[in-house]
Amino acid sequence: MNDAPRPVRIAVGLWLAIAVFVLFTTAGLWFQRGEIERLSGRPSGEVTNFLVAITVVSVLFAAGYGWLTRMFLKRKNWPRIALSLMAIVHMLWLLLVGVSPAALVTLLLICVAIVFTWQARTAQWLAEVREQ
């Protein structure tokens, strides 16, 4: 990654930050389980099922971001497309689950990561490998 231009390093950092932030946000929900039960008025079992589902999806997104970022660093173009598509699905999922401050931060991070992922300097860095 030392030879990567600044936009690539920023994009990689953002994708990895999104993965970590998603995991920490999900872990935080488990600590707020009692509050979720109280606010939703749902029984404990339903809240647990909801949290398990959220956890599974979050781990899948985090693992996907991590793996695709690793592939992106190998200077392949397809992970850039896959990261963007996964990010769009993630944004839609966040909007469906419900808007919260953490969701808004995640949405902002995703938008900025997509911008850096698709900058001209990033495309040039990827194209240099194909030219060799």
Side-chain angles (χ1 to χ4, degrees):
M1 187 157 122
N2 292 338
D3 67 329
R6 185 177 173 148
V8 172
R9 292 192 311 264
I10 292 171
V12 166
L14 286 167
W15 289 121
L16 296 177
I18 292 165
V20 171
F21 188 72
V22 164
L23 294 176
F24 278 126
T25 302
T26 303
L29 288 175
W30 282 95
F31 288 108
Q32 297 174 350
R33 183 176 170 196
E35 185 69 12
I36 294 170
E37 285 177 22
R38 188 183 66 75
L39 289 173
S40 68
R42 302 281 183 188
S44 178
E46 282 186 34
V47 172
T48 300
N49 290 340
F50 172 75
L51 290 175
V52 167
I54 294 279
T55 302
V56 168
V57 172
S58 297
V59 168
L60 289 174
F61 276 123
Y65 286 131
W67 182 71
L68 289 171
T69 299
R70 184 172 178 208
M71 293 295 106
F72 178 60
L73 279 173
K74 290 183 178 184
R75 295 176 90 158
K76 298 181 185 308
N77 194 46
W78 67 265
R80 183 165 75 145
I81 297 164
L83 277 166
S84 300
L85 292 174
M86 189 169 82
I88 291 168
V89 170
H90 191 181
M91 288 190 289
L92 293 172
W93 179 72
L94 286 171
L95 294 173
L96 287 174
V97 171
V99 178
S100 68
L104 292 175
V105 169
T106 306
L107 290 170
L108 178 65
L109 286 171
I110 288 172
C111 290
V112 176
I114 288 173
V115 167
F116 279 99
T117 300
W118 287 95
Q119 280 197 347
R121 184 62 189 110
T122 303
Q124 182 183 10
W125 178 74
L126 291 169
E128 288 170 0
V129 170
R130 286 177 279 192
E131 293 170 0
Q132 295 176 355

